[in-house]
Amino acid sequence: METFEEHYAGLQEALRKYAPGTDMAIIDQAVEYANAKHKYQKRKDGSPYIIHPLAVAQIVTEMGLDSDAVLGALLHDCIEDTDASHEEIARLFGDTVAELVEGVTKLTRANFSTSEQAQMENLRKMFMAMSKDIRVVLIKIADRLHNMRTMQYQSPEKQISKCRETMDIYAPLAHRLGMQRIKWELEDLSLRYLAPERHNEIMSYLKEHEEQDEAFMRTIQNKITDRLTRMGIQATVYGRIKHVYSIYRKMQSQGKTLDELYDLYAFRVIVDSIPDCYNVLGHIHDLFNLVPGRFKDYISTPKPNMYQSLHTTVIGSQGIPFEVQIRTWEMHETAEYGIAAHWKYKQGTGAGSEKDFEWVRRLLESQQDSDAEEYVQSLKIDMFDDEVFVFTPKGRIVSLPSGSTPIDFAYAIHSGVGNAMVGAKVNNRIANIDTTLTNGDIVEILTSKNAKGPSRDWLTICKSNQARTKIKQWFKKEKREENVVHGRASFESEMKRMGLPMSAITDPALEPHLLKKLSFDNWEDMYAAIGYGGLTAVKAVGRIRDDVTKSVKAEKTPVPLKLNPDGEAVKQNRHAVNGVIVEDIDSCMIKFARCCTPVPGDAIVGFITKGFGVSIHRVDCPNAQNRTDPKQAARWVRVRWANQDDHPFDTTLELDCITRDGLLLDVATTMTAAHVRVKELVGKDLPGGKSMFTVRFEVKDVAELDFIRNKLMNIRDVIGSRRGQN
Ligand code: MN
């Protein structure tokens, strides 16, 4: 059993060595505090719990982190396991320490184990994203390292799950952060539980060959040292056997037995300067036979995780190949401690952790794997702020745009879940559905068969396009009638706001054109679309605004009747006959003059005929030009169109054309396509290759007439048109 004293002494020694300026009083206070808090807890092996935080603090110290991080490590399990609170820790040890502890606690609570390989990358991303301060990650890695070192006391199930998690999350992270030593140790410890037979095989092989290996390494080491000493190069040289997991991986990937394995040995030469690195390289190549194609210069081209060294593989006199890594002390520190080493160098500059975090982010962003062998397990960690990672109650991880709410979460799970949502729990507490989710939250959606479905407000609350699209789909499908009402209301109010008359959109001359512009078959569909949010009223009106404005102006252009320039309003109780109201005459026969075939919308006047009631002419009809003639004036009456759209009127158009075969057919087709009832269509040839068509047909009003006239004018070889006069 390990003792408190041993570990405490270990920490103090590490502090003296790596952080000599540390205020020991505050460290003692934290140890005392943590010890008091954890006093009713024991480690699985029966030793006092405080040993664990002490050991973690020692690892953190050895990484080269600052005293806040060491305090954070000492207190890292206090919030999770004891009655200690953030406030209390902040009061006693400062806000930074409290936040570090809080950060570690969040990572501890999150479940990073999953059987889904596909989730791995998200997990690692979340791990990084949750750790607002890189020191949190480092403390958590140290925590895991100590737990791995003492894994023998855990149940077999726990061993397996923790080791998997270590291989999936912690070792790759350590690698990414450049902490090779910790990565190796985590891998070797995991292998022991994940593949115990292979691990034992390798261990016993190494044990068996220990003496032999050591003798070999001593020989090589001496040979190199002798040469460098003679040349006056200050260097530290040592040999090592590659770590167990990397041997295991070589066996797996190359399908070889231990005896067949190539280069198990690696030597390091650590010197004071970069020029010395290259000098040493020359001497190594002079002393041994180099294996071609294995030289790598990571000094001039550092690895993405900052690693720098010269690598070369050579063969010694006994025919055994080995790798030599040549680097400076600074490169060595970086290689061993990675990000932490960098952190240590920066400490003196007083750089804030925020900036450090930026630095890590840039480091991770810039990483592009180039060295396939080293980077087999490479992973990409995005620490972009635009993603948030949360869990389902079953531990599945869901990635959402940052700022997302339970609504987004629900629709990310399934549209059925979103549509049946009646509430949500975040971290087991009832939460508002507009709660902003944070990394690591466990989100549960409460659903009901009787749910009324999403509310329109959700469209503005949710952050993800996925949710928005699905909510819109629901409205589109489920609530058509309601959508039409909502949509019409907002469309009408927007039309009003823009000063456009609603009547314009049902104007037959305009309607098909407007609907085409809006890409709808009818207005109800468009209202429905506005209602469910597929289209905004502002956009819809914006698209047709110009056309409506133009047509409204055009309608106003015809001069009002000369005979009733500004006359009093026609009495409302007049009866319309054939769609025309004759002023001052309540009920009379009406007929439309054959000469000018007026249609609703035309400015018209009435002529009291002898015995045939009132004949209606267009104001511009030549036969109506004698209105001012005193002899006739009394027979001309003011008339106007009643608002009866359903009554069709005959009208005639004359088309001037250039004669061509098929033109008649074109005209007929155009009329049919416009759904016009044609009553007469005749053509006659004129001199000079010209011809004239006369078309008599039914229209509702002048707007429709103009619409058809336009269509006809668009026919090739139709060069002019006029209203029929005969
Ligand atoms: Mn712990």
Side-chain angles (χ1 to χ4, degrees):
M1 193 167 94
E2 297 167 282
T3 67
F4 170 82
E5 287 74 20
E6 277 168 18
H7 281 274
Y8 197 19
L11 173 62
Q12 284 174 316
E13 202 189 309
L15 283 167
R16 269 195 299 277
K17 190 171 168 194
Y18 296 96
T22 310
D23 173 6
M24 291 305 282
I26 190 97
I27 299 286
D28 286 346
Q29 193 193 335
V31 172
E32 215 168 283
Y33 176 86
N35 196 20
K37 289 289 177 188
H38 289 293
K39 71 180 165 197
Y40 298 116
Q41 266 180 294
K42 274 188 176 162
R43 296 283 289 165
K44 279 270 152 61
D45 67 346
S47 58
Y49 194 87
I50 188 66
I51 282 174
H52 170 63
L54 280 171
V56 175
Q58 186 178 333
I59 296 168
V60 165
T61 307
E62 287 164 357
M63 284 177 179
L65 297 190
D66 64 353
S67 64
D68 278 344
V70 176
L71 291 172
L74 284 169
L75 304 171
H76 80 270
D77 278 330
C78 279
I79 291 184
E80 180 62 11
D81 293 341
T82 78
D83 61 4
S85 68
H86 183 109
E87 292 69 31
E88 191 175 58
I89 292 173
R91 184 159 45 77
L92 293 170
F93 303 101
D95 287 335
T96 308
V97 175
E99 259 147 46
L100 291 175
V101 175
E102 187 81 52
V104 175
T105 306
K106 265 189 99 179
L107 290 180
T108 304
R109 283 179 186 159
N111 175 13
F112 289 106
S113 56
T114 169
S115 52
E116 288 176 66
Q117 202 58 38
Q119 295 276 309
M120 227 39 90
E121 171 147 337
N122 272 345
L123 277 174
R124 289 186 289 244
K125 276 190 192 173
M126 178 172 75
F127 192 98
M128 294 307 288
M130 278 176 72
S131 324
K132 290 285 176 225
D133 187 321
I134 190 65
R135 286 173 292 184
V136 169
V137 179
L138 299 175
I139 294 169
K140 195 64 199 165
I141 289 175
D143 175 45
R144 175 51 55 104
L145 180 58
H146 184 243
N147 285 334
M148 290 299 297
R149 284 176 182 169
T150 53
M151 194 51 74
Q152 68 267 33
Y153 304 110
Q154 299 291 347
S155 68
E157 295 77 30
K158 191 140 188 194
Q159 285 171 346
I160 298 292
S161 80
K162 288 287 165 191
C163 289
R164 286 233 173 90
E165 196 182 65
T166 300
M167 290 302 278
D168 290 338
I169 305 285
Y170 291 88
L173 277 179
H175 174 66
R176 271 291 148 122
L177 297 172
M179 311 167 88
Q180 293 314 312
R181 241 179 59 165
I182 287 173
K183 177 203 164 206
W184 290 342
E185 190 175 350
L186 289 172
E187 286 173 344
D188 286 358
L189 288 166
S190 299
L191 189 67
R192 184 189 294 180
Y193 301 98
L194 293 175
E197 278 154 33
R198 276 310 179 101
H199 185 265
N200 288 343
E201 184 195 343
I202 296 167
M203 289 301 280
S204 54
Y205 177 91
L206 294 178
K207 187 111 194 129
E208 230 172 84
H209 294 76
E210 203 175 8
E211 267 177 48
Q212 197 185 319
D213 288 340
E214 273 176 11
F216 172 76
M217 288 192 287
R218 230 180 355 259
T219 313
I220 302 293
Q221 191 180 329
N222 290 339
K223 204 168 171 183
I224 298 173
T225 311
D226 286 352
R227 166 68 78 95
L228 295 182
T229 311
R230 257 193 300 130
M231 303 311 293
I233 298 173
Q234 275 277 330
T236 299
V237 182
Y238 61 89
R240 62 178 178 93
I241 301 272
K242 290 201 166 162
H243 76 293
V244 178
Y245 182 73
S246 87
I247 295 171
Y248 168 79
R249 237 180 53 206
K250 277 179 201 288
M251 292 168 73
Q252 297 289 106
S253 64
Q254 298 172 17
K256 287 181 175 163
T257 66
L258 275 163
D259 291 313
E260 296 166 334
L261 266 194
Y262 191 74
D263 67 339
L264 292 184
Y265 305 95
F267 290 83
R268 286 221 180 100
V269 182
I270 306 173
V271 294
D272 293 328
S273 70
I274 291 175
D276 277 353
C277 292
Y278 291 96
N279 284 333
V280 170
L281 181 72
H283 290 296
I284 300 290
H285 286 171
D286 189 43
L287 283 169
F288 309 100
N289 296 320
L290 106 129
V291 176
R294 296 290 302 256
F295 170 67
K296 283 175 194 126
D297 183 352
Y298 295 119
I299 290 180
S300 59
T301 315
K303 283 194 188 183
N305 63 6
M306 302 188 299
Y307 179 87
Q308 284 185 296
S309 278
L310 298 175
H311 286 193
T312 187
T313 301
V314 294
I315 298 177
S317 49
Q318 291 138 305
I320 300 171
F322 56 91
E323 186 181 62
V324 183
Q325 302 170 349
I326 308 159
R327 55 174 77 144
T328 65
W329 284 104
E330 196 179 330
M331 293 171 193
H332 182 63
E333 282 275 289
T334 301
E336 299 279 282
Y337 294 111
I339 176 78
H342 175 89
W343 208 91
K344 187 162 73 175
Y345 294 140
K346 281 185 77 172
Q347 241 180 291
T349 70
S353 60
E354 198 64 31
K355 224 175 146 201
D356 286 317
F357 193 67
E358 262 309 301
W359 181 85
V360 180
R361 171 190 290 197
R362 260 186 289 122
L363 167 80
L364 297 170
E365 273 174 10
S366 70
Q367 286 190 15
Q368 280 165 4
D369 296 336
S370 46
D371 187 335
E373 206 212 334
E374 284 292 322
Y375 279 38
V376 172
Q377 292 175 313
S378 74
L379 55 115
K380 188 166 168 279
I381 303 163
D382 293 313
M383 289 196 296
F384 300 119
D385 292 332
D386 54 9
E387 264 180 302
V388 62
F389 302 93
V390 297
F391 292 105
T392 66
K394 283 183 181 162
R396 184 156 85 84
I397 185 162
V398 178
S399 152
L400 298 168
S402 85
S404 281
T405 64
I407 298 173
D408 297 284
F409 176 86
Y411 281 98
I413 299 300
H414 192 272
S415 52
V417 174
N419 293 336
M421 175 161 89
V422 290
K425 278 183 177 180
V426 174
N427 300 326
N428 235 354
R429 282 199 192 132
I430 293 288
N432 291 328
I433 55 166
D434 62 352
T435 307
T436 301
L437 299 175
T438 59
N439 278 309
D441 280 346
I442 298 167
V443 187
E444 187 181 346
I445 299 301
L446 309 173
T447 59
S448 160
K449 274 184 193 160
N450 303 322
K452 278 185 263 153
S455 112
R456 279 170 211 281
D457 302 337
W458 293 12
L459 286 170
T460 54
I461 296 170
C462 69
K463 282 285 176 304
S464 59
N465 288 331
Q466 191 184 25
R468 202 166 293 129
T469 307
K470 286 175 173 178
I471 294 169
K472 282 179 188 171
Q473 270 167 7
W474 187 87
F475 275 112
K476 192 175 177 179
K477 248 201 245 158
E478 304 287 323
K479 293 279 172 180
R480 186 173 160 92
E481 280 171 40
E482 204 182 293
N483 290 335
V484 170
V485 174
H486 277 277
R488 184 197 294 272
S490 34
F491 183 77
E492 280 181 2
S493 87
E494 179 61 17
M495 285 288 278
K496 202 169 170 188
R497 197 175 73 81
M498 301 306 296
L500 304 172
M502 271 303 278
S503 60
I505 68 159
T506 47
D507 182 337
L510 264 184
E511 192 175 21
H513 176 66
L514 298 182
L515 286 169
K516 200 176 159 196
K517 272 218 155 166
L518 289 158
S519 314
F520 284 96
D521 289 336
N522 56 61
W523 295 110
E524 201 170 278
D525 283 357
M526 188 200 71
Y527 294 144
I530 294 176
Y532 75 73
L535 173 73
T536 66
V538 173
K539 219 178 214 172
V541 172
R543 271 189 217 158
I544 60 171
R545 187 183 162 185
D546 287 350
D547 296 275
V548 173
T549 311
K550 227 184 281 170
S551 102
V552 168
K553 267 191 199 152
E555 271 176 33
K556 280 181 184 159
T557 314
V559 188
L561 274 180
K562 284 176 189 158
L563 282 188
N564 49 353
D566 56 7
E568 323 92 60
V570 177
K571 284 176 195 150
Q572 291 303 309
N573 58 1
R574 295 285 176 216
H575 289 107
V577 179
N578 287 351
V580 172
I581 290 168
V582 180
E583 281 185 41
D584 304 323
I585 302 172
D586 198 0
S587 184
C588 64
M589 249 167 69
I590 294 284
K591 66 172 189 150
F592 295 100
R594 290 278 293 167
C595 54
C596 58
T597 56
V599 296
D602 283 336
I604 47 174
V605 289
F607 182 75
I608 302 169
T609 61
K610 291 175 182 161
F612 291 102
V614 175
S615 162
I616 308 297
H617 292 257
R618 280 162 37 203
V619 167
D620 56 0
C621 176
N623 294 332
Q625 300 314 309
N626 61 355
R627 300 194 291 276
T628 47
D629 181 342
K631 278 189 268 177
Q632 304 278 350
R635 295 175 71 179
W636 289 100
V637 292
R638 290 188 286 190
V639 295
R640 65 182 177 95
W641 297 101
N643 293 325
Q644 279 180 321
D645 292 343
D646 52 351
H647 196 91
F649 300 86
D650 275 7
T651 191
T652 304
L653 275 182
E654 288 171 348
L655 306 175
D656 297 321
C657 313
I658 296 164
T659 308
R660 105 168 129 81
D661 283 348
L663 191 52
L664 187 71
L665 184 63
D666 284 354
V667 172
T669 310
T670 302
M671 299 301 281
T672 313
H675 304 290
V676 176
R677 219 178 126 206
V678 177
K679 295 206 162 162
E680 195 184 335
L681 173 56
V682 290
K684 66 175 177 198
D685 285 338
L686 300 172
K690 299 271 175 69
S691 49
M692 189 177 82
F693 288 108
T694 303
V695 204
R696 191 158 63 83
F697 55 98
E698 276 182 3
V699 288
K700 282 206 291 275
D701 55 22
V702 73
E704 188 181 16
L705 174 60
D706 286 345
F707 172 69
I708 289 156
R709 197 168 169 178
N710 262 327
K711 290 260 179 206
L712 293 169
M713 287 301 294
N714 282 336
I715 298 171
R716 186 162 58 87
D717 296 326
V718 174
I719 52 174
S721 69
R722 83 191 93 38
R723 297 284 293 272
Q725 293 281 342
N726 47 332

